[in-house]
């Protein structure tokens, strides 16, 4: 058995299983025949040459639904700001605050776990029985790329806020200094929160992103409340404050602020410190075991502290009725490295999990889940819980790296004819993934492919699938 954190109960006994090639499936037989394992000491075969990809496919993949949403939302709001500046948008003249908060509320909703779970729920149960494949693909693309609405609305809300503050400063002779000050402070805080979420900051300086986007965002919410309450309590005509609750309750800005606050707080109400068992099968990976079974396609955020440094990982579970679920944490940064060096007994997590695009797999009749390395954490539950999904896992010495727990979950739940486990160390390198996907697509009768891989592998497979006319959804780098 692989070592576990001292003082913790080891995972349930799992038989030691060796990774092997399953038989009886023609794609595997074809791959095995065409690429036999090299003899010991032999040079590795060259990787397949990178195939030419048409500019049309590259542009299509770059201008995905995320960027389409972002472009549409920003263009729509910029048009509104220009029309308001020209005096041709009557609604904006009296409801600038509503345009600010309406955009910010929409941005919050598009990243709220409960709201997104609701969208997935109505999409899955509303479409899977009758909808044609093209409609399911379109809805899945929308669900995966709602982050474009989030980014577009957040940036647009900041734009409308700047416009509102400029308008207040233009009429500062009739405004109270406290309102002007709260407006400027809110502007600064919201803009810092938005800028901190830019991809470069988010991807390369995660802790900087988290501190500024979360805590500055919370401060921005507090000053927004002050801005809304003071702005609607001050009588410009008479230059006096009004203590009239009815007038405040009747304005749109108040209710936008209420619902924005509620949806921000909902996930934090489910925050718990929970016990965890840690298995360390190799220096590259920590396997975390939690109580409670889960649906497939979910992800969970964990941290060693209650409010800082949260990291998201795919959840592996045999189903809702199983007694536990797992997370695979590959060593990539300080947080995951510390999980291996100093395994915790408890971690903080939100019990309300959020849905990844894999959750939409329940919409389709048959599909392929391909992943590399630690991507198995996001992919495995789908293939365990549904007999209509085919697993392709590409990695190096998977049994030794990931240990008997993950190996046992695979072999105890997925029959040989429904999986390909490619050990690149034993096979002498990675396969031609696009060729493998084409063969499996035809043999298994798949409707869709979900990909979880690093950026290079993701781009390679997404481009190859697009050229071959295979419907695929890859890993996103927008969050």
């Amino acid at each position: 058995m692989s070592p576990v954190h001292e003082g913790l109960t080891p995972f349930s006994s799992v038989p030691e299983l060796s990774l092997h090639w399953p038989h009886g499936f023609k794609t595997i037989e074809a791959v095995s025949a065409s690429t036999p394992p090299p003899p010991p000491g032999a040079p590795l075969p060259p990787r397949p040459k990178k195939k030419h990809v048409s500019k049309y496919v590259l542009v299509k993949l770059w201008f995905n639904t995320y960027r389409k949403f972002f472009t549409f939302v920003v263009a729509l709001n910029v048009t509104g700001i220009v029309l308001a500046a020209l005096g041709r948008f009557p609604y904006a003249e009296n409801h600038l605050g509503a345009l600010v908060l309406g955009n910010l509320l929409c941005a919050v909703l598009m990243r709220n776990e409960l709201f997104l779970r609701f969208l997935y729920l109505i999409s899955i149960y509303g479409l899977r029985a009758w909808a044609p494949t093209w409609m399911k693909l379109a809805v899945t693309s929308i669900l995966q790329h709602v982050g474009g609405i989030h980014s577009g609305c957040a940036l647009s809300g900041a734009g409308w806020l700047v416009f509102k503050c400029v308008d207040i400063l233009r009429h500062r002779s009739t405004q109270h200094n406290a309102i002007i000050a709260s407006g400027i402070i809110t502007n600064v805080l919201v803009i810092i929160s938005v800028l901190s979420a830019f991809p470069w900051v988010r991807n390369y300086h995660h802790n900087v992103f988290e501190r500024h986007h979360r805590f500055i965002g919370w401060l921005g919410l507090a000053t927004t409340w002050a801005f809304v309450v003071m702005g609607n309590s001050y009588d410009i005509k008479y230059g006096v404050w009004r203590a009239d609750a009815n007038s405040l309750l009747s304005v749109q800005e108040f209710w936008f602020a209420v619902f924005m606050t509620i949806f921000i707080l909902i996930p934090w109400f489910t925050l718990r410190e929970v016990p965890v068992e840690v298995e360390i099968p190799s220096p590259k990976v920590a396997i975390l075991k939690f109580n409670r079974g889960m649906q497939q396609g979910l992800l969970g955020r964990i941290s060693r502290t209650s409010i800082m440094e949260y990291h998201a990982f795919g959840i592996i579970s045999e189903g809702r009725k199983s007694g536990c679920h797992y997370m695979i944490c590959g060593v990539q940064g300080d947080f995951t490295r510390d999980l291996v060096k100093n395994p915790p007994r408890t971690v903080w997590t939100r019990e309300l999990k959020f849905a990844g695009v894999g959750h939409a797999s329940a919409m389709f009749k048959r599909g392929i889940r391909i992943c590399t390395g630690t991507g198995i954490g996001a992919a495995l539950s789908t293939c365990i819980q549904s007999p209509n999904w085919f697993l392709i896992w590409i990695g190096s010495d998977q049994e030794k790296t990931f240990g008997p727990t993950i190996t046992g979950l695979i072999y105890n739940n997925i029959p040989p004819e429904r999986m390909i486990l490619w050990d690149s160390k034993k096979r002498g390198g990675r396969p031609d993934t696009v060729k493998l996907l084409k063969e499996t697509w035809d043999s298994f009768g798949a409707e869709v492919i979900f990909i979880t891989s690093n950026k290079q592998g993701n781009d390679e497979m997404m481009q190859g699938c697009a050229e071959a006319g295979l419907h695929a959804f890859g890993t996103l780098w927008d969050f």
Side-chain angles (χ1 to χ4, degrees):
M1 291 290 288
S2 301
V4 294
H5 178 43
E6 186 179 355
L8 295 180
T9 305
F11 288 359
S12 301
S13 179
V14 180
E16 296 284 350
L17 297 170
S18 298
L19 292 178
H20 64 277
W21 282 91
H23 301 290
F25 188 69
K26 66 180 181 180
T27 300
I28 302 168
E29 292 170 355
V31 171
S32 299
S34 60
T35 56
L44 295 178
R47 287 192 63 179
K49 291 183 179 180
K50 190 173 181 179
K51 298 176 182 178
H52 173 74
V53 182
S54 68
K55 289 183 179 179
Y56 170 76
V57 166
L58 292 175
V59 171
K60 181 182 176 182
L61 291 175
W62 181 85
F63 195 59
N64 56 16
T65 307
Y66 181 101
R67 288 188 170 92
K68 289 173 184 174
F69 276 144
F70 179 84
T71 302
F72 174 76
V73 170
V74 172
L76 185 66
N77 279 279
V78 168
T79 302
I81 292 172
V82 171
L83 290 174
L86 296 174
R88 297 177 179 271
F89 192 1
Y91 176 81
E93 291 181 13
N94 300 312
H95 298 91
L96 278 177
L99 290 166
V100 173
L101 293 174
N103 271 287
L104 295 180
L105 172 60
C106 191
V108 168
L109 282 175
M110 292 303 111
R111 279 288 182 256
N112 179 265
E113 289 91 333
L114 184 63
F115 183 73
L116 289 179
R117 289 285 292 272
F118 173 72
L119 291 183
Y120 273 93
L121 182 71
I122 60 175
S123 299
I124 291 170
Y125 288 100
L127 296 178
R128 68 178 175 186
W130 65 272
T133 302
W134 67 265
M135 185 180 294
K136 295 176 183 178
L137 293 169
V139 171
T140 302
S141 183
I142 290 170
L143 292 171
Q144 184 185 27
H145 295 100
V146 292
I149 302 175
H150 167 80
S151 301
C153 285
L155 189 60
S156 299
W160 278 110
L161 187 57
V162 171
F163 184 83
K164 181 174 175 63
C165 279
V166 170
D167 185 66
I168 289 174
L169 289 171
R170 285 176 56 225
H171 303 93
R172 60 184 177 276
S173 59
T174 61
Q175 291 285 357
H176 196 281
N177 289 337
I179 297 175
I180 297 173
S182 66
I184 293 172
I185 293 171
T186 303
N187 246 301
V188 172
L189 295 175
V190 170
I191 289 171
I192 290 174
S193 181
V194 170
L195 292 178
S196 68
F198 271 49
W200 182 82
V201 180
R202 198 174 55 234
N203 295 332
Y204 296 102
H205 303 279
H206 177 82
N207 289 344
V208 173
F209 151 70
E210 193 172 30
R211 289 190 195 103
H212 290 76
H213 195 63
R214 177 172 300 152
F215 298 119
I216 300 297
W218 286 351
L219 284 174
L221 177 63
T223 57
T224 296
W225 266 107
F227 194 31
V228 168
V229 172
M230 287 193 296
N232 287 280
S233 300
Y234 186 69
D235 192 319
I236 296 175
K237 185 176 180 181
Y238 296 104
V240 295
W241 297 99
R242 296 173 303 183
D244 185 1
N246 289 331
S247 64
L248 183 61
L249 293 174
S250 64
V251 296
Q252 299 173 30
E253 292 91 333
F254 174 81
W255 293 107
F256 280 137
V258 166
F259 285 108
M260 186 167 67
T261 305
I262 289 172
F263 280 105
I264 288 173
L265 292 177
I266 281 174
W268 293 97
F269 284 142
T270 69
L271 185 65
R272 301 287 186 275
E273 186 177 17
V274 298
V276 61
E277 297 177 20
V278 181
E279 179 183 6
I280 306 172
S282 71
K284 299 178 181 179
V285 172
I287 311 294
L288 276 59
K289 180 183 178 182
F290 301 85
N291 295 326
R292 196 159 65 101
M294 295 279 176
Q295 299 178 61
Q296 61 82 30
L298 300 180
L299 296 95
R301 294 185 177 97
I302 61 171
S303 174
R304 285 180 178 265
T305 65
S306 57
I307 60 172
M308 269 298 297
E309 202 174 352
Y310 276 86
H311 296 263
F313 299 95
I315 291 173
I316 301 174
S317 177
E318 294 173 285
R320 296 184 195 178
K321 296 182 179 180
S322 66
C324 63
H325 66 274
Y326 304 86
M327 291 183 183
I328 298 178
C329 306
V331 174
Q332 293 182 336
D334 293 340
F335 178 81
T336 48
R337 191 177 296 113
D338 195 48
L339 289 176
V340 173
K341 290 183 178 180
N342 183 28
R345 285 180 167 82
T346 62
V347 294
W348 289 87
T349 186
R350 301 176 195 173
E351 296 285 24
L352 178 60
K353 310 303 181 185
F354 67 99
V357 67
H359 198 54
S361 62
M363 229 189 291
F364 297 91
K365 294 177 182 177
R366 291 172 83 77
I368 301 169
R369 202 67 168 86
I370 184 168
C371 59
T372 59
T374 55
I376 188 68
L380 186 54
S381 274
T382 298
C383 300
I384 287 177
Q385 295 185 30
S386 172
N388 299 316
W389 278 79
F390 192 101
L391 174 66
I392 301 176
W393 184 22
I394 302 165
S396 177
D397 204 358
Q398 290 110 312
E399 181 182 15
K400 182 178 179 181
T401 302
F402 294 89
T405 297
I406 301 304
T407 305
L409 284 169
I410 293 172
Y411 282 96
N412 292 338
N413 293 281
I414 305 175
E417 64 272 12
R418 203 161 51 80
M419 64 177 173
I420 296 175
L421 307 180
W422 183 286
D423 186 339
S424 58
K425 186 175 182 180
K426 292 180 181 178
R427 305 296 300 174
R430 292 182 62 179
D432 183 334
T433 52
V434 176
K435 178 183 177 184
L436 192 60
L437 285 169
K438 287 180 185 176
E439 293 175 350
T440 310
W441 178 280
D442 293 335
S443 300
F444 194 65
E447 291 182 324
V448 67
I449 299 167
F450 287 161
I451 301 165
T452 306
S453 183
N454 58 27
K455 196 168 191 317
Q456 180 183 350
N458 179 77
D459 291 348
E460 176 188 308
M461 287 185 268
M462 286 295 291
Q463 291 166 9
C465 287
E467 290 278 12
L470 309 180
H471 310 304
F473 295 93
T475 307
L476 281 186
W477 312 101
D478 70 304
F479 58 88

